[in-house]
Amino acid sequence: MTAHMSDLDDFAFCEQIIKRYSKSFYYAFSKLPEEKARAVYALYAFCRTADDSVDENLGSAAQLTALDKLKDELDRFAQKQEIDHPLWRALRVVFNTYDMDLEPFYDQIKGQRMDISFSAPKTLEDVETYSYYVAGSVGRMLLPIIASNSKVDCTDSAVSLGVAMQLTNILRDVGEDYRGKGRVYLPLEELQRADYRIEQLANAEINDSFIEVWEGMAKRAEELYDEFLECVSNFDQDSRFPVLVSAQVYRGILGSVRQNNYDCFARKNYVTKREMVRILSESIV
C-alpha cells in the first residue's frame, strides 16, 4: 500500500518527533523498509505524546487532564472518528495497513497514569508490571509491523524486550530518578533484604548491598533479553536487524554501568561508539 502525498506529510511530522527525541531508535528503525519505518515513527509519536502529557505539565491535575484528552482522542480513533491531526491521520494509515490492536495504546496511557500517581514498587514483580504498561505495551504495538508474517505468536517476546529495556532505564537512572523526582524504582523489599536504606541512596552510596539489589534486577533484565533473542528469528526478516541492534545496544548499558563500578548516580552510562560498532557487526543476521 503506497502512501499518498498528504500521508507522507503526516509521516514526516512523526519522523521529526522520533528524530528529535531518540536518535538511537531513529537510527535503528530507519533501517526498516520505508513503509514499516514510517509506521514505527507514527507509533513513537503516539508514545511521545503520552510521555509529554506528563513531562510538559506541572502538577498531577494538569498531567491527568492531558492524558484524559489523549484517551478521548484515542476513543474517537477507535470509533473511526479521529480528529484531523497529522498523528491520528498517520496512525489511521498504519491501522489500515497492518493488523493492529488498540489495547496496548490504552495500556500505554495507563502506564503514564501509574507514573503520575507513583508509589515505590514493593517487589520486582511490581516493577515489571509497571514496566509492561510503559514499555512492554510498545513491544505489543510494534509486533504487527515487525512480525507481520510470523507463524508463531511473538507477543511474549516483544513484551519481554520492552520490559527488559525499561528495567535497564531504571538501573541506568537510579541517581537521576531520586535526585530529580524523589523516586525509587528499585523494589523496596529487595532493598530491605540487602539492608540498604533510602538515606544511603540519597547519599549515592555504592556498596555490596547496593550492588546486590542492582544485580538482582539486572539479571532479570538479562533473562528477558534472552527470552526475546530466542524468538527473534520468527520476526520478519527485513525487521530483525533494527530490533536486534536496539536490544543489544540497550543491553550494553548494563555492561557500561558495571564497567563504571555501578556508578549510576554521578555518571551517565551509555554504550560507546566502539562498543556500538562491535554490536552492529555481531547483529548481522
Short mmCIF file of all heavy atoms in Angstrom, two decimals, residues 24 27-28 31 165 228 239-251 276 279-284:
data_model
loop_
_atom_site.label_atom_id
_atom_site.label_comp_id
_atom_site.label_asym_id
_atom_site.label_seq_id
_atom_site.Cartn_x
_atom_site.Cartn_y
_atom_site.Cartn_z
N SER A 24 18.96 7.21 18.81
CA SER A 24 19.35 5.80 18.69
C SER A 24 18.21 4.96 18.11
O SER A 24 18.43 4.13 17.22
CB SER A 24 19.79 5.24 20.04
OG SER A 24 18.80 5.46 21.01
N TYR A 27 17.89 5.86 14.47
CA TYR A 27 18.96 5.22 13.69
C TYR A 27 18.60 3.76 13.42
O TYR A 27 18.70 3.28 12.28
CB TYR A 27 20.29 5.30 14.44
CG TYR A 27 21.39 4.51 13.75
CD1 TYR A 27 22.02 5.03 12.62
CD2 TYR A 27 21.75 3.25 14.19
CE1 TYR A 27 22.99 4.30 11.96
CE2 TYR A 27 22.72 2.51 13.54
CZ TYR A 27 23.34 3.04 12.41
OH TYR A 27 24.29 2.32 11.75
N ALA A 28 18.17 3.05 14.45
CA ALA A 28 17.87 1.62 14.29
C ALA A 28 16.68 1.41 13.35
O ALA A 28 16.76 0.63 12.39
CB ALA A 28 17.60 0.98 15.65
N LYS A 31 16.37 1.87 9.42
CA LYS A 31 16.91 0.80 8.56
C LYS A 31 15.82 -0.16 8.09
O LYS A 31 16.07 -1.06 7.29
CB LYS A 31 17.99 -0.01 9.31
CG LYS A 31 19.15 0.83 9.84
CD LYS A 31 20.03 1.36 8.71
CE LYS A 31 21.20 2.18 9.21
NZ LYS A 31 20.90 3.60 9.42
N MET A 165 14.04 -3.41 28.52
CA MET A 165 14.55 -2.07 28.24
C MET A 165 14.17 -1.09 29.35
O MET A 165 14.97 -0.24 29.75
CB MET A 165 14.03 -1.57 26.89
CG MET A 165 14.68 -2.27 25.71
SD MET A 165 13.88 -1.77 24.16
CE MET A 165 15.31 -1.59 23.09
N PHE A 228 13.66 -12.69 24.55
CA PHE A 228 13.42 -12.02 23.27
C PHE A 228 14.30 -12.63 22.18
O PHE A 228 13.83 -12.94 21.07
CB PHE A 228 13.70 -10.51 23.39
CG PHE A 228 14.03 -9.86 22.09
CD1 PHE A 228 13.04 -9.64 21.14
CD2 PHE A 228 15.33 -9.51 21.77
CE1 PHE A 228 13.36 -9.07 19.90
CE2 PHE A 228 15.65 -8.94 20.55
CZ PHE A 228 14.66 -8.71 19.62
N SER A 239 13.02 -7.01 9.38
CA SER A 239 12.87 -6.23 10.62
C SER A 239 13.79 -6.70 11.75
O SER A 239 13.90 -6.03 12.77
CB SER A 239 11.42 -6.33 11.11
OG SER A 239 10.52 -6.02 10.08
N ARG A 240 14.42 -7.85 11.55
CA ARG A 240 15.21 -8.41 12.66
C ARG A 240 16.38 -7.53 13.06
O ARG A 240 16.63 -7.31 14.24
CB ARG A 240 15.77 -9.80 12.26
CG ARG A 240 14.72 -10.88 12.34
CD ARG A 240 15.29 -12.20 11.84
NE ARG A 240 14.25 -12.93 11.12
CZ ARG A 240 14.47 -13.88 10.24
NH1 ARG A 240 15.71 -14.24 9.95
NH2 ARG A 240 13.48 -14.50 9.65
N PHE A 241 17.10 -7.02 12.06
CA PHE A 241 18.34 -6.29 12.35
C PHE A 241 18.11 -5.07 13.25
O PHE A 241 18.75 -4.96 14.30
CB PHE A 241 19.03 -5.90 11.03
CG PHE A 241 20.30 -5.12 11.22
CD1 PHE A 241 21.43 -5.74 11.75
CD2 PHE A 241 20.37 -3.78 10.89
CE1 PHE A 241 22.61 -5.03 11.93
CE2 PHE A 241 21.54 -3.05 11.08
CZ PHE A 241 22.66 -3.69 11.60
N PRO A 242 17.18 -4.15 12.89
CA PRO A 242 17.00 -2.98 13.75
C PRO A 242 16.56 -3.32 15.17
O PRO A 242 16.98 -2.70 16.13
CB PRO A 242 15.92 -2.15 13.04
CG PRO A 242 15.44 -2.94 11.91
CD PRO A 242 16.37 -4.06 11.65
N VAL A 243 15.68 -4.35 15.28
CA VAL A 243 15.19 -4.71 16.61
C VAL A 243 16.31 -5.33 17.43
O VAL A 243 16.48 -5.04 18.61
CB VAL A 243 13.99 -5.69 16.51
CG1 VAL A 243 13.39 -5.94 17.87
CG2 VAL A 243 12.92 -5.12 15.60
N LEU A 244 17.09 -6.17 16.77
CA LEU A 244 18.22 -6.82 17.43
C LEU A 244 19.25 -5.78 17.90
O LEU A 244 19.74 -5.84 19.03
CB LEU A 244 18.86 -7.80 16.45
CG LEU A 244 19.78 -8.90 16.99
CD1 LEU A 244 19.09 -9.71 18.07
CD2 LEU A 244 20.23 -9.81 15.87
N VAL A 245 19.55 -4.83 17.02
CA VAL A 245 20.51 -3.77 17.37
C VAL A 245 20.00 -2.97 18.58
O VAL A 245 20.74 -2.72 19.53
CB VAL A 245 20.79 -2.84 16.17
CG1 VAL A 245 21.54 -1.59 16.61
CG2 VAL A 245 21.60 -3.58 15.12
N SER A 246 18.72 -2.58 18.54
CA SER A 246 18.14 -1.82 19.67
C SER A 246 18.29 -2.60 20.96
O SER A 246 18.68 -2.06 22.00
CB SER A 246 16.64 -1.55 19.43
OG SER A 246 16.46 -0.84 18.26
N ALA A 247 17.96 -3.90 20.90
CA ALA A 247 18.03 -4.75 22.10
C ALA A 247 19.46 -4.86 22.61
O ALA A 247 19.73 -4.70 23.81
CB ALA A 247 17.48 -6.14 21.78
N GLN A 248 20.41 -5.09 21.71
CA GLN A 248 21.79 -5.30 22.13
C GLN A 248 22.44 -4.00 22.64
O GLN A 248 23.24 -4.03 23.57
CB GLN A 248 22.63 -5.89 20.99
CG GLN A 248 22.13 -7.25 20.49
CD GLN A 248 22.32 -8.38 21.49
OE1 GLN A 248 22.10 -8.21 22.69
NE2 GLN A 248 22.73 -9.54 21.02
N VAL A 249 22.07 -2.88 22.02
CA VAL A 249 22.61 -1.60 22.47
C VAL A 249 22.08 -1.31 23.88
O VAL A 249 22.83 -0.90 24.78
CB VAL A 249 22.26 -0.45 21.50
CG1 VAL A 249 22.52 0.91 22.13
CG2 VAL A 249 23.07 -0.60 20.21
N TYR A 250 20.80 -1.54 24.08
CA TYR A 250 20.23 -1.30 25.41
C TYR A 250 20.83 -2.23 26.45
O TYR A 250 21.18 -1.80 27.55
CB TYR A 250 18.70 -1.47 25.36
CG TYR A 250 18.02 -0.17 25.65
CD1 TYR A 250 17.92 0.81 24.67
CD2 TYR A 250 17.52 0.10 26.92
CE1 TYR A 250 17.33 2.03 24.94
CE2 TYR A 250 16.93 1.32 27.20
CZ TYR A 250 16.83 2.28 26.21
OH TYR A 250 16.27 3.49 26.48
N ARG A 251 20.98 -3.49 26.08
CA ARG A 251 21.57 -4.45 27.00
C ARG A 251 23.00 -4.01 27.36
O ARG A 251 23.45 -4.19 28.49
CB ARG A 251 21.60 -5.83 26.35
CG ARG A 251 22.03 -6.92 27.29
CD ARG A 251 22.02 -8.29 26.59
NE ARG A 251 22.11 -9.35 27.55
CZ ARG A 251 21.61 -10.57 27.37
NH1 ARG A 251 20.97 -10.86 26.25
NH2 ARG A 251 21.73 -11.49 28.30
N MET A 276 29.36 0.07 20.08
CA MET A 276 28.26 0.10 19.10
C MET A 276 28.68 -0.60 17.80
O MET A 276 27.92 -1.38 17.24
CB MET A 276 27.88 1.56 18.82
CG MET A 276 26.56 1.74 18.14
SD MET A 276 25.23 1.95 19.31
CE MET A 276 25.37 3.66 19.74
N ILE A 279 28.64 -4.30 18.36
CA ILE A 279 27.26 -4.80 18.40
C ILE A 279 26.70 -4.90 16.98
O ILE A 279 26.08 -5.90 16.60
CB ILE A 279 26.38 -3.91 19.29
CG1 ILE A 279 26.75 -4.11 20.76
CG2 ILE A 279 24.90 -4.20 19.07
CD1 ILE A 279 26.17 -3.07 21.71
N LEU A 280 26.93 -3.86 16.18
CA LEU A 280 26.42 -3.85 14.80
C LEU A 280 27.01 -5.03 14.01
O LEU A 280 26.29 -5.73 13.31
CB LEU A 280 26.78 -2.54 14.10
CG LEU A 280 25.96 -1.32 14.49
CD1 LEU A 280 26.57 -0.06 13.93
CD2 LEU A 280 24.52 -1.47 14.01
N SER A 281 28.30 -5.26 14.16
CA SER A 281 28.94 -6.33 13.37
C SER A 281 28.44 -7.70 13.82
O SER A 281 28.34 -8.62 13.01
CB SER A 281 30.46 -6.24 13.46
OG SER A 281 30.86 -6.46 14.80
N GLU A 282 28.09 -7.82 15.10
CA GLU A 282 27.63 -9.13 15.60
C GLU A 282 26.12 -9.34 15.36
O GLU A 282 25.62 -10.43 15.55
CB GLU A 282 27.90 -9.24 17.11
CG GLU A 282 29.38 -9.47 17.40
CD GLU A 282 29.67 -9.54 18.90
OE1 GLU A 282 28.71 -9.49 19.67
OE2 GLU A 282 30.86 -9.65 19.26
N SER A 283 25.44 -8.26 14.95
CA SER A 283 23.97 -8.37 14.82
C SER A 283 23.54 -8.67 13.39
O SER A 283 22.34 -8.73 13.11
CB SER A 283 23.31 -7.06 15.27
OG SER A 283 23.60 -6.83 16.62
N ILE A 284 24.49 -8.80 12.48
CA ILE A 284 24.12 -9.10 11.09
C ILE A 284 23.50 -10.49 11.08
O ILE A 284 24.13 -11.48 11.43
CB ILE A 284 25.35 -9.07 10.15
CG1 ILE A 284 26.13 -7.76 10.30
CG2 ILE A 284 24.95 -9.34 8.71
CD1 ILE A 284 25.46 -6.52 9.80
#
